[in-house]
C-alpha cells in the first residue's frame, strides 16, 4: 500500500549521510566528497538543451508552473512528499553550515566553470569515468606499476588492485600519468576501450 511504500522509502533515505537534490548538485557533491574523499570533483556540464535533443525551456514544457506542480502532486504523490521532506532538510543543513560552506560552494562553481573549456578539446565525449565490467586483479592493466594508489602502507597496492578489479566505473585518476604525452588529459589509460 502507499503508506508502506512511503515508509520503506523514507527509512532507506534516512539511512544515508547525504541526501541532496539536483538543484543543489554542487553542494551535494561537496558534502559527499567531505565524507568519502572523492579525488576529482570537477565535471562537464550536461544540459539537455545544449545537446542534440530537446532545445526548449522549462517554460515551453510547463507555462503554468502552479498547474504543473498540482499535476505532479496528483500523479506522483510519493515523489512529491519525498522532495518536500528531503529538500527542506537539505536546505536546513546548508543553512547550518553557514557562510564558510557557501564560500566553498561559490569557489567550486567557479572551478567547474573554468574547467569547461577543457571538455571542448577532449578527445572523446566521455573523458572522466567510463562504465567498465568487472575484471580480475591479474589483468595486465592492473599491474602494480600502472596503479596510482592513495594507500601508502605495504598492503595498499593489493587493496587498490582488488578495488579497481571489481569496480563498475573506470576513471583516469586511477592510473599513473601518461609519459608518452599522447593524451591531452595527461592520464595513462588501458588500451582496451578507453583510448
Amino acid at each position: 500500500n502507499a503508506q508502506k511504500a512511503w515508509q520503506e522509502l523514507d527509512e532507506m533515505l534516512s539511512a544515508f549521510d547525504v541526501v541532496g537534490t539536483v538543484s543543489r548538485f554542487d553542494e551535494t557533491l561537496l558534502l559527499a566528497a567531505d565524507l568519502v574523499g572523492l579525488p576529482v570533483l570537477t565535471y562537464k556540464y550536461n544540459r539537455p538543451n545544449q545537446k542534440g535533443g530537446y532545445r526548449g525551456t522549462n517554460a515551453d514544457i510547463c507555462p503554468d508552473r502552479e498547474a504543473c506542480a498540482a499535476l505532479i502532486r496528483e500523479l506522483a504523490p510519493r515523489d512529491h512528499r519525498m522532495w518536500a521532506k528531503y529538500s527542506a532538510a537539505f536546505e536546513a543543513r546548508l543553512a547550518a553550515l553557514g557562510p564558510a560552506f557557501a564560500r566553498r560552494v561559490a569557489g567550486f562553481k567557479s572551478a567547474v566553470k573554468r574547467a569547461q573549456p577543457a571538455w571542448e578539446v577532449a578527445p572523446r565525449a566521455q573523458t572522466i569515468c567510463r562504465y567498465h565490467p568487472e575484471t580480475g586483479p591479474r589483468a595486465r592493466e592492473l599491474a602494480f606499476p600502472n596503479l596510482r594508489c592513495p594507500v601508502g602502507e605495504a598492503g595498499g597496492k593489493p587493496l587498490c588492485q582488488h578495488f579497481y578489479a571489481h569496480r563498475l566505473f573506470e576513471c583516469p585518476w586511477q592510473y599513473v600519468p601518461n609519459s608518452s604525452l599522447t593524451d591531452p588529459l595527461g592520464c595513462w589509460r588501458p588500451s582496451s576501450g578507453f583510448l
Side-chain angles (χ1 to χ4, degrees):
N1 72 28
Q3 182 55 34
K4 183 180 179 190
W6 163 255
Q7 183 177 350
E8 289 174 353
L9 174 65
D10 191 35
E11 287 175 359
M12 180 194 70
L13 291 175
S14 295
F16 289 106
D17 292 315
V18 176
V19 179
T21 61
V22 174
S23 60
R24 292 287 204 164
F25 180 77
D26 291 333
E27 291 87 341
T28 304
L29 189 55
L30 283 174
L31 289 175
D34 288 347
L35 287 172
V36 299
L38 297 174
V40 177
L41 295 183
T42 54
Y43 59 89
K44 180 182 184 294
Y45 294 146
N46 186 14
R47 295 173 175 153
N49 65 351
Q50 294 177 355
K51 297 168 74 176
Y54 181 73
R55 300 218 176 253
T57 65
N58 290 344
D60 294 328
I61 297 170
C62 181
D64 183 345
R65 301 283 290 185
E66 289 301 317
C68 288
L71 184 60
I72 291 169
R73 281 193 298 273
E74 178 186 340
L75 297 177
R78 186 173 38 232
D79 295 68
H80 187 270
R81 187 176 178 186
M82 176 185 62
W83 166 260
K85 177 176 180 176
Y86 287 95
S87 65
F90 194 66
E91 291 298 324
R93 182 174 184 174
L94 295 179
L97 289 170
F101 187 74
R103 285 191 295 274
R104 275 187 68 203
V105 171
F108 177 59
K109 285 180 182 293
S110 294
V112 170
K113 185 174 183 179
R114 286 193 307 272
Q116 296 312 300
W119 296 103
E120 302 301 322
V121 297
R124 59 181 297 150
Q126 186 73 28
T127 51
I128 285 290
C129 297
R130 177 181 173 90
Y131 176 77
H132 194 282
E134 288 191 5
T135 185
R138 296 179 190 270
R140 178 176 48 90
E141 296 88 353
L142 298 179
F144 286 164
N146 296 331
L147 293 179
R148 189 179 104 196
C149 184
V151 182
E153 294 87 44
K157 290 280 186 174
L159 177 66
C160 285
Q161 187 181 60
H162 280 81
F163 173 78
Y164 295 144
H166 301 293
R167 72 207 182 284
L168 291 179
F169 291 90
E170 177 174 67
C171 303
W173 50 262
Q174 295 169 340
Y175 301 96
V176 297
N178 178 13
S179 59
S180 70
L181 303 178
T182 58
D183 185 343
L185 295 179
C187 295
W188 181 90
R189 292 174 179 160
S191 59
S192 58
F194 205 63
L195 288 175

